[in-house]
Amino acid sequence: MGIFSLYKDKLDPGQSGLDPESNWFVKVSDSSVEMIDPGKVTQSILISEIENVSVATNDRGPFEIDIWWILSGNGKAVLVPGGATGEKEMLNRLQELPGFNNGEVIKAMGCSDNAEFLLWKKA
């Protein structure tokens, strides 16, 4: 448990010790990525439809979600907050895309400004 978790529990004692982002669920298969938000709203995209993968960061953390994965293509976008349950499995699958840029992932994870990092673009 990090120092922020201790203070967060004091600020909002009704909340569990889990980060609120963990209430978002990402399910990944060989053919699709599906995101279910805390209100049970589902977004999905086929792996074959993905044209761009990026990460948007903002300066509102740690009190708000400050990292968003954006998978877009075929006129739609799936937004997944950093820290979502299943995020690691999603990243593992995305890293299989040819030319996926792990260097940009590292830059994005270290950024606390308003920025967007292109991780992959369909050729």
Side-chain angles (χ1 to χ4, degrees), residues 82-121:
T85 300
E87 176 187 29
K88 180 180 177 183
E89 292 79 9
M90 178 189 72
L91 176 57
N92 289 341
R93 177 61 182 97
L94 295 174
Q95 288 174 319
E96 294 174 6
L97 297 169
F100 185 85
N101 191 332
N102 286 301
E104 287 296 294
V105 174
I106 293 167
K107 283 185 195 175
M109 296 305 137
C111 183
S112 60
D113 295 322
N114 298 324
E116 189 165 339
F117 298 84
L118 180 63
L119 310 177
W120 182 81
K121 184 173 180 69

